[in-house]
Short mmCIF file of all heavy atoms in Angstrom, two decimals:
data_model
loop_
_atom_site.label_atom_id
_atom_site.label_comp_id
_atom_site.label_asym_id
_atom_site.label_seq_id
_atom_site.Cartn_x
_atom_site.Cartn_y
_atom_site.Cartn_z
N PRO A 308 -59.08 21.39 -37.74
CA PRO A 308 -59.79 20.40 -36.94
C PRO A 308 -60.48 20.97 -35.72
O PRO A 308 -61.61 20.60 -35.39
CB PRO A 308 -58.69 19.40 -36.51
CG PRO A 308 -57.52 19.73 -37.33
CD PRO A 308 -57.65 21.06 -37.92
N VAL A 311 -63.71 22.45 -36.55
CA VAL A 311 -64.78 21.49 -36.84
C VAL A 311 -65.36 20.92 -35.55
O VAL A 311 -66.59 20.72 -35.42
CB VAL A 311 -64.21 20.35 -37.73
CG1 VAL A 311 -65.24 19.28 -37.94
CG2 VAL A 311 -63.72 20.87 -39.05
N ALA A 316 -69.73 20.51 -31.62
CA ALA A 316 -70.12 20.69 -30.20
C ALA A 316 -71.19 21.76 -30.10
O ALA A 316 -72.14 21.64 -29.26
CB ALA A 316 -68.92 21.03 -29.36
N PHE A 319 -74.42 20.29 -30.91
CA PHE A 319 -74.90 19.48 -29.82
C PHE A 319 -75.57 20.33 -28.76
O PHE A 319 -76.65 19.98 -28.25
CB PHE A 319 -73.68 18.75 -29.18
CG PHE A 319 -74.03 17.88 -28.05
CD1 PHE A 319 -74.69 16.68 -28.21
CD2 PHE A 319 -73.68 18.25 -26.76
CE1 PHE A 319 -74.97 15.86 -27.15
CE2 PHE A 319 -73.99 17.45 -25.70
CZ PHE A 319 -74.64 16.27 -25.84
N LEU A 322 -78.92 21.39 -29.92
CA LEU A 322 -79.86 20.28 -29.86
C LEU A 322 -80.37 20.03 -28.45
O LEU A 322 -81.58 19.76 -28.24
CB LEU A 322 -79.18 18.97 -30.35
CG LEU A 322 -79.12 18.83 -31.86
CD1 LEU A 322 -78.36 17.59 -32.25
CD2 LEU A 322 -80.52 18.73 -32.43
N LEU A 325 -82.94 22.54 -27.70
CA LEU A 325 -84.19 22.23 -28.38
C LEU A 325 -84.95 21.11 -27.70
O LEU A 325 -86.15 21.15 -27.57
CB LEU A 325 -83.91 21.81 -29.87
CG LEU A 325 -85.12 21.48 -30.67
CD1 LEU A 325 -85.98 22.73 -30.87
CD2 LEU A 325 -84.75 20.89 -32.03
N LEU A 326 -84.21 20.12 -27.25
CA LEU A 326 -84.80 19.02 -26.56
C LEU A 326 -85.55 19.45 -25.33
O LEU A 326 -86.67 19.06 -25.04
CB LEU A 326 -83.63 18.10 -26.11
CG LEU A 326 -83.93 16.63 -26.20
CD1 LEU A 326 -82.77 16.02 -26.91
CD2 LEU A 326 -84.03 16.08 -24.79
N SER A 329 -88.63 21.37 -26.31
CA SER A 329 -89.69 20.51 -26.77
C SER A 329 -90.34 19.77 -25.63
O SER A 329 -91.53 19.51 -25.61
CB SER A 329 -89.13 19.41 -27.71
OG SER A 329 -88.33 19.98 -28.66
N LEU A 330 -89.51 19.43 -24.63
CA LEU A 330 -90.07 18.77 -23.46
C LEU A 330 -91.09 19.66 -22.78
O LEU A 330 -92.20 19.24 -22.40
CB LEU A 330 -88.93 18.40 -22.49
CG LEU A 330 -89.29 17.65 -21.25
CD1 LEU A 330 -89.84 16.27 -21.58
CD2 LEU A 330 -88.07 17.51 -20.32
N TRP A 332 -92.76 22.12 -24.08
CA TRP A 332 -93.95 22.29 -24.92
C TRP A 332 -94.82 21.03 -24.87
O TRP A 332 -96.05 21.13 -24.75
CB TRP A 332 -93.52 22.52 -26.35
CG TRP A 332 -94.62 22.59 -27.35
CD1 TRP A 332 -95.45 23.65 -27.58
CD2 TRP A 332 -95.06 21.53 -28.22
NE1 TRP A 332 -96.39 23.32 -28.55
CE2 TRP A 332 -96.13 22.03 -28.96
CE3 TRP A 332 -94.60 20.20 -28.46
CZ2 TRP A 332 -96.81 21.25 -29.90
CZ3 TRP A 332 -95.29 19.46 -29.42
CH2 TRP A 332 -96.36 19.99 -30.10
N PHE A 333 -94.15 19.87 -24.92
CA PHE A 333 -94.89 18.60 -24.94
C PHE A 333 -95.70 18.43 -23.65
O PHE A 333 -96.86 18.03 -23.67
CB PHE A 333 -93.82 17.47 -25.06
CG PHE A 333 -94.41 16.13 -25.33
CD1 PHE A 333 -94.83 15.83 -26.61
CD2 PHE A 333 -94.59 15.18 -24.33
CE1 PHE A 333 -95.32 14.55 -26.89
CE2 PHE A 333 -95.05 13.93 -24.61
CZ PHE A 333 -95.46 13.63 -25.88
N LEU A 351 -98.09 26.99 -28.58
CA LEU A 351 -97.00 26.93 -29.55
C LEU A 351 -96.16 28.19 -29.48
O LEU A 351 -94.92 28.14 -29.52
CB LEU A 351 -97.62 26.79 -30.96
CG LEU A 351 -96.62 26.39 -32.05
CD1 LEU A 351 -96.08 25.05 -31.81
CD2 LEU A 351 -97.34 26.46 -33.39
N SER A 358 -88.16 28.21 -26.33
CA SER A 358 -87.08 27.68 -27.12
C SER A 358 -86.01 28.71 -27.41
O SER A 358 -84.81 28.46 -27.27
CB SER A 358 -87.61 27.08 -28.42
OG SER A 358 -86.58 26.78 -29.27
N LEU A 380 -56.35 25.31 -23.63
CA LEU A 380 -55.52 25.23 -24.81
C LEU A 380 -54.32 26.13 -24.70
O LEU A 380 -53.18 25.78 -25.16
CB LEU A 380 -56.30 25.67 -26.07
CG LEU A 380 -57.29 24.61 -26.59
CD1 LEU A 380 -58.21 25.23 -27.66
CD2 LEU A 380 -56.59 23.43 -27.17
N ILE A 383 -51.75 24.54 -22.46
CA ILE A 383 -51.11 23.37 -23.02
C ILE A 383 -50.16 23.68 -24.19
O ILE A 383 -49.24 22.95 -24.47
CB ILE A 383 -52.21 22.39 -23.51
CG1 ILE A 383 -52.76 21.69 -22.25
CG2 ILE A 383 -51.67 21.36 -24.44
CD1 ILE A 383 -53.81 20.70 -22.61
N GLU A 385 -47.42 25.39 -26.86
CA GLU A 385 -45.97 25.69 -26.72
C GLU A 385 -45.73 27.11 -26.33
O GLU A 385 -44.85 27.37 -25.52
CB GLU A 385 -45.30 25.43 -28.08
CG GLU A 385 -45.13 24.01 -28.43
CD GLU A 385 -44.57 23.88 -29.83
OE1 GLU A 385 -44.52 24.86 -30.59
OE2 GLU A 385 -44.17 22.76 -30.11
N VAL A 410 -80.97 23.64 -40.40
CA VAL A 410 -81.18 22.26 -40.84
C VAL A 410 -82.44 21.70 -40.19
O VAL A 410 -83.26 21.11 -40.86
CB VAL A 410 -79.95 21.36 -40.55
CG1 VAL A 410 -80.28 19.91 -40.63
CG2 VAL A 410 -78.85 21.72 -41.53
N PHE A 411 -82.55 21.87 -38.89
CA PHE A 411 -83.71 21.29 -38.23
C PHE A 411 -85.01 21.92 -38.68
O PHE A 411 -86.05 21.31 -38.67
CB PHE A 411 -83.56 21.41 -36.70
CG PHE A 411 -83.05 20.14 -36.07
CD1 PHE A 411 -81.84 19.61 -36.44
CD2 PHE A 411 -83.86 19.45 -35.20
CE1 PHE A 411 -81.39 18.43 -35.88
CE2 PHE A 411 -83.44 18.26 -34.64
CZ PHE A 411 -82.19 17.73 -34.99
N SER A 412 -84.92 23.17 -39.11
CA SER A 412 -86.17 23.84 -39.53
C SER A 412 -86.61 23.42 -40.91
O SER A 412 -87.78 23.34 -41.18
CB SER A 412 -85.96 25.35 -39.53
OG SER A 412 -85.55 25.80 -38.28
N ILE A 414 -85.08 20.79 -43.18
CA ILE A 414 -84.69 19.57 -43.88
C ILE A 414 -85.89 18.72 -44.23
O ILE A 414 -85.96 18.12 -45.35
CB ILE A 414 -83.64 18.78 -43.07
CG1 ILE A 414 -82.99 17.73 -43.98
CG2 ILE A 414 -84.24 18.12 -41.88
CD1 ILE A 414 -81.74 18.16 -44.55
N ASN A 415 -86.87 18.64 -43.34
CA ASN A 415 -88.04 17.82 -43.71
C ASN A 415 -88.78 18.45 -44.88
O ASN A 415 -89.34 17.74 -45.71
CB ASN A 415 -88.94 17.65 -42.50
CG ASN A 415 -88.38 16.67 -41.52
OD1 ASN A 415 -87.79 15.67 -41.93
ND2 ASN A 415 -88.53 16.91 -40.26
N ALA A 418 -86.95 17.63 -47.97
CA ALA A 418 -87.17 16.23 -48.33
C ALA A 418 -88.52 16.09 -49.04
O ALA A 418 -88.68 15.37 -50.00
CB ALA A 418 -87.07 15.34 -47.14
N TYR A 435 -94.44 28.54 -50.33
CA TYR A 435 -93.94 27.97 -49.06
C TYR A 435 -92.48 27.58 -49.13
O TYR A 435 -91.71 27.94 -48.23
CB TYR A 435 -94.80 26.72 -48.74
CG TYR A 435 -94.52 26.12 -47.40
CD1 TYR A 435 -94.96 26.70 -46.23
CD2 TYR A 435 -93.78 24.93 -47.32
CE1 TYR A 435 -94.68 26.13 -45.00
CE2 TYR A 435 -93.52 24.37 -46.08
CZ TYR A 435 -93.97 24.96 -44.92
OH TYR A 435 -93.72 24.42 -43.71
N THR A 438 -89.95 30.66 -49.64
CA THR A 438 -89.86 31.56 -48.48
C THR A 438 -89.20 30.85 -47.31
O THR A 438 -88.44 31.43 -46.55
CB THR A 438 -91.25 32.05 -48.08
OG1 THR A 438 -92.16 30.94 -47.97
CG2 THR A 438 -91.79 33.03 -49.07
N SER A 439 -89.49 29.51 -47.20
CA SER A 439 -88.79 28.78 -46.14
C SER A 439 -87.30 28.81 -46.38
O SER A 439 -86.52 28.93 -45.39
CB SER A 439 -89.25 27.33 -46.12
OG SER A 439 -90.59 27.22 -45.79
N LEU A 442 -85.97 32.18 -45.40
CA LEU A 442 -85.99 32.33 -43.95
C LEU A 442 -84.85 31.60 -43.31
O LEU A 442 -84.21 32.07 -42.39
CB LEU A 442 -87.34 31.85 -43.40
CG LEU A 442 -88.43 32.84 -43.29
CD1 LEU A 442 -89.74 32.15 -42.95
CD2 LEU A 442 -88.11 33.90 -42.25
N THR A 443 -84.63 30.39 -43.87
CA THR A 443 -83.53 29.60 -43.31
C THR A 443 -82.21 30.28 -43.47
O THR A 443 -81.35 30.30 -42.57
CB THR A 443 -83.50 28.21 -43.95
OG1 THR A 443 -84.78 27.65 -43.90
CG2 THR A 443 -82.52 27.30 -43.27
N SER A 480 -88.14 35.55 -34.26
CA SER A 480 -89.01 34.42 -34.14
C SER A 480 -90.47 34.87 -34.16
O SER A 480 -91.31 34.24 -34.82
CB SER A 480 -88.72 33.64 -32.87
OG SER A 480 -89.50 32.52 -32.78
N THR A 483 -91.87 35.61 -37.60
CA THR A 483 -92.29 34.46 -38.45
C THR A 483 -93.71 34.06 -38.15
O THR A 483 -94.34 33.35 -38.94
CB THR A 483 -91.38 33.23 -38.24
OG1 THR A 483 -91.42 32.87 -36.86
CG2 THR A 483 -89.99 33.51 -38.65
N PHE A 484 -94.26 34.55 -37.04
CA PHE A 484 -95.68 34.25 -36.80
C PHE A 484 -96.59 35.01 -37.75
O PHE A 484 -97.78 34.67 -37.85
CB PHE A 484 -96.03 34.63 -35.33
CG PHE A 484 -95.60 33.62 -34.36
CD1 PHE A 484 -94.25 33.58 -33.89
CD2 PHE A 484 -96.44 32.65 -33.90
CE1 PHE A 484 -93.85 32.62 -32.98
CE2 PHE A 484 -96.02 31.69 -32.98
CZ PHE A 484 -94.75 31.67 -32.55
N ASN A 486 -96.15 34.87 -40.93
CA ASN A 486 -96.22 34.10 -42.18
C ASN A 486 -97.67 33.64 -42.32
O ASN A 486 -98.32 33.29 -41.37
CB ASN A 486 -95.30 32.90 -42.12
CG ASN A 486 -93.88 33.27 -42.33
OD1 ASN A 486 -93.59 34.27 -42.93
ND2 ASN A 486 -92.98 32.51 -41.82
N TYR A 489 -95.81 37.40 -46.16
CA TYR A 489 -94.37 37.41 -46.29
C TYR A 489 -93.74 38.79 -46.32
O TYR A 489 -92.62 38.98 -45.89
CB TYR A 489 -93.93 36.59 -47.52
CG TYR A 489 -94.26 35.15 -47.36
CD1 TYR A 489 -95.04 34.52 -48.34
CD2 TYR A 489 -93.83 34.42 -46.29
CE1 TYR A 489 -95.36 33.17 -48.22
CE2 TYR A 489 -94.16 33.10 -46.16
CZ TYR A 489 -94.93 32.44 -47.11
OH TYR A 489 -95.24 31.17 -46.98
N TYR A 535 -37.52 34.16 -39.98
CA TYR A 535 -37.77 32.74 -39.78
C TYR A 535 -36.82 31.88 -40.56
O TYR A 535 -36.21 30.93 -40.04
CB TYR A 535 -39.23 32.44 -40.18
CG TYR A 535 -39.69 31.15 -39.71
CD1 TYR A 535 -40.46 31.02 -38.58
CD2 TYR A 535 -39.37 29.97 -40.37
CE1 TYR A 535 -40.88 29.80 -38.13
CE2 TYR A 535 -39.77 28.77 -39.97
CZ TYR A 535 -40.57 28.67 -38.84
OH TYR A 535 -41.00 27.45 -38.40
N GLN A 539 -33.70 28.99 -39.51
CA GLN A 539 -33.98 27.60 -39.81
C GLN A 539 -32.75 26.75 -39.66
O GLN A 539 -31.64 27.09 -40.13
CB GLN A 539 -34.50 27.47 -41.23
CG GLN A 539 -34.68 26.04 -41.68
CD GLN A 539 -34.86 26.01 -43.15
OE1 GLN A 539 -34.97 27.01 -43.81
NE2 GLN A 539 -34.87 24.79 -43.68
N PHE A 542 -30.81 21.05 -42.52
CA PHE A 542 -30.94 19.62 -42.39
C PHE A 542 -29.66 18.93 -42.79
O PHE A 542 -29.01 19.29 -43.75
CB PHE A 542 -32.07 19.10 -43.25
CG PHE A 542 -33.39 19.33 -42.58
CD1 PHE A 542 -34.08 20.53 -42.77
CD2 PHE A 542 -33.92 18.35 -41.77
CE1 PHE A 542 -35.27 20.75 -42.17
CE2 PHE A 542 -35.13 18.59 -41.15
CZ PHE A 542 -35.81 19.78 -41.34
N ASP A 544 -27.48 15.79 -44.16
CA ASP A 544 -27.67 14.67 -45.09
C ASP A 544 -27.50 13.36 -44.38
O ASP A 544 -26.52 13.18 -43.68
CB ASP A 544 -26.62 14.81 -46.20
CG ASP A 544 -27.16 15.72 -47.29
OD1 ASP A 544 -28.33 15.60 -47.58
OD2 ASP A 544 -26.38 16.55 -47.71
N GLU B 150 -48.78 18.68 -24.50
CA GLU B 150 -49.30 19.49 -25.59
C GLU B 150 -49.50 18.67 -26.84
O GLU B 150 -50.39 18.87 -27.61
CB GLU B 150 -48.34 20.64 -25.85
CG GLU B 150 -47.28 20.23 -26.80
CD GLU B 150 -46.09 21.13 -26.71
OE1 GLU B 150 -45.75 21.54 -25.63
OE2 GLU B 150 -45.50 21.35 -27.75
N LEU B 153 -52.75 16.93 -26.91
CA LEU B 153 -53.89 17.71 -27.28
C LEU B 153 -53.83 18.11 -28.74
O LEU B 153 -54.79 18.12 -29.43
CB LEU B 153 -54.04 18.95 -26.39
CG LEU B 153 -55.37 19.64 -26.64
CD1 LEU B 153 -56.49 18.74 -26.17
CD2 LEU B 153 -55.41 20.96 -25.96
N LYS B 154 -52.67 18.46 -29.19
CA LYS B 154 -52.54 18.89 -30.56
C LYS B 154 -52.96 17.76 -31.47
O LYS B 154 -53.59 17.99 -32.49
CB LYS B 154 -51.11 19.29 -30.87
CG LYS B 154 -50.94 20.80 -30.64
CD LYS B 154 -49.69 21.24 -31.33
CE LYS B 154 -49.16 22.45 -30.60
NZ LYS B 154 -47.72 22.57 -30.77
N ALA B 157 -57.06 17.14 -31.66
CA ALA B 157 -58.08 17.71 -32.60
C ALA B 157 -57.98 17.03 -33.96
O ALA B 157 -58.97 16.63 -34.56
CB ALA B 157 -57.90 19.21 -32.68
N LYS B 158 -56.76 16.85 -34.40
CA LYS B 158 -56.53 16.25 -35.72
C LYS B 158 -57.05 14.83 -35.75
O LYS B 158 -57.66 14.39 -36.75
CB LYS B 158 -55.07 16.32 -36.06
CG LYS B 158 -54.87 16.27 -37.56
CD LYS B 158 -53.42 16.25 -37.99
CE LYS B 158 -52.47 16.78 -37.02
NZ LYS B 158 -51.11 16.72 -37.51
N VAL B 160 -59.29 13.46 -33.84
CA VAL B 160 -60.75 13.44 -33.75
C VAL B 160 -61.32 13.54 -35.12
O VAL B 160 -62.22 12.82 -35.52
CB VAL B 160 -61.26 14.53 -32.79
CG1 VAL B 160 -62.75 14.62 -32.87
CG2 VAL B 160 -60.86 14.25 -31.37
N ILE B 161 -60.81 14.49 -35.92
CA ILE B 161 -61.32 14.68 -37.26
C ILE B 161 -61.00 13.46 -38.10
O ILE B 161 -61.82 13.05 -38.93
CB ILE B 161 -60.69 15.91 -37.91
CG1 ILE B 161 -60.99 17.16 -37.10
CG2 ILE B 161 -61.21 16.11 -39.33
CD1 ILE B 161 -62.43 17.39 -36.86
N ALA B 377 -32.43 11.30 -42.94
CA ALA B 377 -33.15 12.50 -43.25
C ALA B 377 -33.04 12.83 -44.72
O ALA B 377 -32.02 12.61 -45.34
CB ALA B 377 -32.63 13.67 -42.46
N PRO B 379 -33.13 15.86 -46.87
CA PRO B 379 -33.19 17.33 -46.75
C PRO B 379 -34.13 17.94 -47.76
O PRO B 379 -34.89 18.85 -47.44
CB PRO B 379 -31.79 17.79 -47.01
CG PRO B 379 -30.92 16.61 -46.96
CD PRO B 379 -31.79 15.38 -47.14
N HIS B 419 -43.13 25.43 -44.38
CA HIS B 419 -41.78 25.60 -43.88
C HIS B 419 -41.20 24.21 -43.60
O HIS B 419 -41.92 23.25 -43.48
CB HIS B 419 -41.75 26.44 -42.62
CG HIS B 419 -42.63 25.92 -41.55
ND1 HIS B 419 -43.96 26.32 -41.43
CD2 HIS B 419 -42.42 25.02 -40.55
CE1 HIS B 419 -44.48 25.66 -40.41
NE2 HIS B 419 -43.56 24.87 -39.87
N PRO B 420 -39.92 24.15 -43.50
CA PRO B 420 -39.31 22.84 -43.30
C PRO B 420 -39.83 22.18 -42.04
O PRO B 420 -40.16 22.84 -41.07
CB PRO B 420 -37.82 23.16 -43.14
CG PRO B 420 -37.66 24.49 -43.80
CD PRO B 420 -38.90 25.20 -43.65
N ILE B 421 -39.94 20.90 -42.11
CA ILE B 421 -40.56 20.19 -40.98
C ILE B 421 -39.54 20.00 -39.90
O ILE B 421 -38.48 19.45 -40.11
CB ILE B 421 -41.04 18.81 -41.47
CG1 ILE B 421 -41.95 19.02 -42.65
CG2 ILE B 421 -41.77 18.08 -40.36
CD1 ILE B 421 -42.31 17.70 -43.31
N ASP B 457 -88.60 10.94 -40.59
CA ASP B 457 -88.12 12.20 -40.14
C ASP B 457 -86.56 12.30 -40.27
O ASP B 457 -85.89 11.42 -39.81
CB ASP B 457 -88.52 12.30 -38.66
CG ASP B 457 -88.32 13.66 -38.09
OD1 ASP B 457 -88.52 14.68 -38.83
OD2 ASP B 457 -87.90 13.79 -36.93
N TRP B 458 -86.10 13.38 -40.84
CA TRP B 458 -84.68 13.54 -40.95
C TRP B 458 -84.05 14.10 -39.69
O TRP B 458 -82.87 13.94 -39.47
CB TRP B 458 -84.36 14.45 -42.11
CG TRP B 458 -84.42 13.77 -43.44
CD1 TRP B 458 -85.52 13.63 -44.22
CD2 TRP B 458 -83.38 13.06 -44.08
NE1 TRP B 458 -85.19 12.90 -45.34
CE2 TRP B 458 -83.89 12.55 -45.27
CE3 TRP B 458 -82.02 12.84 -43.79
CZ2 TRP B 458 -83.13 11.82 -46.17
CZ3 TRP B 458 -81.23 12.09 -44.67
CH2 TRP B 458 -81.83 11.62 -45.86
N ASN B 459 -84.85 14.83 -38.90
CA ASN B 459 -84.31 15.45 -37.72
C ASN B 459 -83.74 14.41 -36.72
O ASN B 459 -82.72 14.63 -36.11
CB ASN B 459 -85.40 16.28 -36.99
CG ASN B 459 -85.72 17.53 -37.76
OD1 ASN B 459 -84.95 17.93 -38.65
ND2 ASN B 459 -86.84 18.12 -37.44
N LEU B 462 -80.36 13.17 -37.96
CA LEU B 462 -79.30 14.17 -37.74
C LEU B 462 -78.97 14.33 -36.25
O LEU B 462 -77.77 14.45 -35.91
CB LEU B 462 -79.76 15.53 -38.30
CG LEU B 462 -79.67 15.54 -39.80
CD1 LEU B 462 -80.43 16.73 -40.34
CD2 LEU B 462 -78.24 15.62 -40.27
N VAL B 466 -75.22 13.76 -34.67
CA VAL B 466 -74.45 14.71 -33.86
C VAL B 466 -74.11 14.07 -32.52
O VAL B 466 -73.00 14.23 -32.04
CB VAL B 466 -75.23 16.04 -33.69
CG1 VAL B 466 -74.58 16.93 -32.65
CG2 VAL B 466 -75.39 16.73 -35.02
N ILE B 470 -70.33 13.60 -31.00
CA ILE B 470 -69.95 14.20 -29.72
C ILE B 470 -69.45 13.10 -28.75
O ILE B 470 -68.47 13.28 -28.05
CB ILE B 470 -71.11 14.97 -29.12
CG1 ILE B 470 -71.33 16.25 -29.93
CG2 ILE B 470 -70.79 15.35 -27.67
CD1 ILE B 470 -70.16 17.20 -29.93
N CYS B 473 -66.02 12.26 -29.68
CA CYS B 473 -65.12 13.32 -29.29
C CYS B 473 -64.80 13.20 -27.80
O CYS B 473 -63.68 13.33 -27.37
CB CYS B 473 -65.84 14.61 -29.61
SG CYS B 473 -64.80 16.02 -29.63
N PHE B 499 -80.85 10.77 -27.60
CA PHE B 499 -81.28 11.69 -28.62
C PHE B 499 -82.33 11.06 -29.53
O PHE B 499 -83.27 11.74 -29.95
CB PHE B 499 -80.08 12.21 -29.44
CG PHE B 499 -79.49 13.45 -28.86
CD1 PHE B 499 -78.76 13.37 -27.71
CD2 PHE B 499 -79.67 14.65 -29.49
CE1 PHE B 499 -78.17 14.51 -27.13
CE2 PHE B 499 -79.10 15.81 -28.92
CZ PHE B 499 -78.36 15.73 -27.75
N SER B 502 -85.70 10.90 -27.55
CA SER B 502 -86.30 12.24 -27.24
C SER B 502 -86.62 12.99 -28.51
O SER B 502 -87.66 13.64 -28.57
CB SER B 502 -85.33 13.03 -26.36
OG SER B 502 -84.09 13.08 -26.94
N ASN B 505 -89.84 11.47 -30.07
CA ASN B 505 -91.09 11.61 -29.34
C ASN B 505 -91.39 13.04 -28.91
O ASN B 505 -92.55 13.40 -28.77
CB ASN B 505 -91.09 10.72 -28.08
CG ASN B 505 -90.99 9.29 -28.49
OD1 ASN B 505 -91.71 8.82 -29.32
ND2 ASN B 505 -90.07 8.56 -27.90
N LEU B 506 -90.35 13.86 -28.74
CA LEU B 506 -90.61 15.20 -28.23
C LEU B 506 -90.38 16.26 -29.30
O LEU B 506 -91.21 17.11 -29.52
CB LEU B 506 -89.71 15.49 -27.04
CG LEU B 506 -89.86 14.60 -25.82
CD1 LEU B 506 -88.80 14.94 -24.75
CD2 LEU B 506 -91.24 14.73 -25.24
N VAL B 507 -89.19 16.17 -29.92
CA VAL B 507 -88.81 17.25 -30.82
C VAL B 507 -89.61 17.17 -32.13
O VAL B 507 -90.02 18.19 -32.69
CB VAL B 507 -87.30 17.19 -31.15
CG1 VAL B 507 -86.90 18.22 -32.14
CG2 VAL B 507 -86.51 17.40 -29.85
N PRO B 509 -92.78 16.18 -32.94
CA PRO B 509 -94.07 16.84 -32.96
C PRO B 509 -93.95 18.38 -32.88
O PRO B 509 -94.67 19.12 -33.55
CB PRO B 509 -94.82 16.31 -31.75
CG PRO B 509 -93.97 15.27 -31.13
CD PRO B 509 -92.66 15.25 -31.81
N PHE B 510 -92.99 18.83 -32.04
CA PHE B 510 -92.80 20.29 -31.91
C PHE B 510 -92.41 20.89 -33.22
O PHE B 510 -93.00 21.88 -33.69
CB PHE B 510 -91.73 20.53 -30.79
CG PHE B 510 -91.50 21.96 -30.47
CD1 PHE B 510 -92.56 22.83 -30.19
CD2 PHE B 510 -90.22 22.43 -30.34
CE1 PHE B 510 -92.34 24.15 -29.87
CE2 PHE B 510 -89.97 23.76 -29.98
CZ PHE B 510 -91.04 24.63 -29.79
N MET B 511 -91.37 20.34 -33.84
CA MET B 511 -90.86 20.91 -35.10
C MET B 511 -91.92 20.79 -36.20
O MET B 511 -92.05 21.69 -37.01
CB MET B 511 -89.57 20.25 -35.55
CG MET B 511 -88.38 20.49 -34.65
SD MET B 511 -88.07 22.18 -34.24
CE MET B 511 -87.28 22.76 -35.70
N THR B 513 -95.14 20.76 -35.84
CA THR B 513 -96.20 21.78 -35.63
C THR B 513 -95.72 23.17 -36.03
O THR B 513 -96.45 23.94 -36.65
CB THR B 513 -96.62 21.78 -34.12
OG1 THR B 513 -96.72 20.43 -33.68
CG2 THR B 513 -97.95 22.46 -33.93
N LEU B 514 -94.46 23.48 -35.66
CA LEU B 514 -93.90 24.77 -36.03
C LEU B 514 -93.86 24.90 -37.54
O LEU B 514 -94.18 25.95 -38.10
CB LEU B 514 -92.48 24.91 -35.45
CG LEU B 514 -92.36 25.21 -33.97
CD1 LEU B 514 -90.92 25.19 -33.56
CD2 LEU B 514 -92.97 26.54 -33.62
N ALA B 515 -93.40 23.82 -38.21
CA ALA B 515 -93.27 23.90 -39.67
C ALA B 515 -94.61 24.05 -40.36
O ALA B 515 -94.70 24.73 -41.38
CB ALA B 515 -92.54 22.66 -40.18
N HIS B 517 -96.99 25.78 -39.42
CA HIS B 517 -97.37 27.20 -39.36
C HIS B 517 -96.27 28.07 -39.94
O HIS B 517 -96.40 29.28 -39.88
CB HIS B 517 -97.65 27.61 -37.92
CG HIS B 517 -98.82 26.94 -37.30
ND1 HIS B 517 -100.13 27.41 -37.43
CD2 HIS B 517 -98.90 25.82 -36.56
CE1 HIS B 517 -100.93 26.59 -36.79
NE2 HIS B 517 -100.22 25.60 -36.27
N GLN B 518 -95.24 27.47 -40.44
CA GLN B 518 -94.06 28.17 -40.96
C GLN B 518 -93.45 29.10 -39.90
O GLN B 518 -93.16 30.27 -40.18
CB GLN B 518 -94.34 28.92 -42.25
CG GLN B 518 -93.11 28.99 -43.14
CD GLN B 518 -93.42 29.62 -44.46
OE1 GLN B 518 -94.49 30.12 -44.74
NE2 GLN B 518 -92.44 29.57 -45.36
N LEU B 519 -93.28 28.56 -38.71
CA LEU B 519 -92.68 29.33 -37.64
C LEU B 519 -91.25 28.89 -37.47
O LEU B 519 -90.92 27.73 -37.59
CB LEU B 519 -93.43 29.07 -36.31
CG LEU B 519 -94.90 29.38 -36.32
CD1 LEU B 519 -95.52 29.00 -34.98
CD2 LEU B 519 -95.11 30.84 -36.53
N TYR B 520 -90.44 29.86 -37.16
CA TYR B 520 -89.01 29.58 -36.98
C TYR B 520 -88.62 29.95 -35.54
O TYR B 520 -89.09 30.96 -35.01
CB TYR B 520 -88.14 30.31 -37.96
CG TYR B 520 -88.11 29.66 -39.31
CD1 TYR B 520 -89.23 29.57 -40.09
CD2 TYR B 520 -86.93 29.09 -39.77
CE1 TYR B 520 -89.19 28.94 -41.30
CE2 TYR B 520 -86.90 28.48 -40.99
CZ TYR B 520 -88.03 28.40 -41.76
OH TYR B 520 -87.98 27.79 -42.97
N ILE B 521 -87.79 29.13 -34.97
CA ILE B 521 -87.38 29.44 -33.61
C ILE B 521 -85.89 29.81 -33.63
O ILE B 521 -85.17 29.45 -34.52
CB ILE B 521 -87.59 28.28 -32.66
CG1 ILE B 521 -87.06 26.97 -33.30
CG2 ILE B 521 -89.05 28.13 -32.32
CD1 ILE B 521 -86.95 25.83 -32.34
#
Side-chain angles (χ1 to χ4, degrees):
Chain A
V311 175
F319 180 75
L322 279 175
L325 180 66
L326 218 131
S329 311
L330 183 65
W332 175 80
F333 191 79
L351 193 65
S358 170
L380 284 170
I383 283 181
E385 285 175 349
V410 164
F411 261 62
S412 303
I414 194 96
N415 284 324
Y435 186 76
T438 50
S439 296
L442 271 171
T443 309
S480 183
T483 59
F484 281 81
N486 284 335
Y489 294 123
Y535 194 98
Q539 176 195 353
F542 280 89
D544 276 316
Chain B
E150 84 200 39
L153 189 68
K154 268 197 207 152
K158 203 183 337 180
V160 170
I161 302 304
H419 56 269
I421 306 170
D457 190 39
W458 281 90
N459 288 343
L462 285 165
V466 172
I470 290 297
C473 196
F499 271 72
S502 53
N505 297 311
L506 299 175
V507 175
F510 184 48
M511 294 308 284
T513 318
L514 285 174
H517 296 273
Q518 210 174 8
L519 300 177
Y520 279 67
I521 48 167

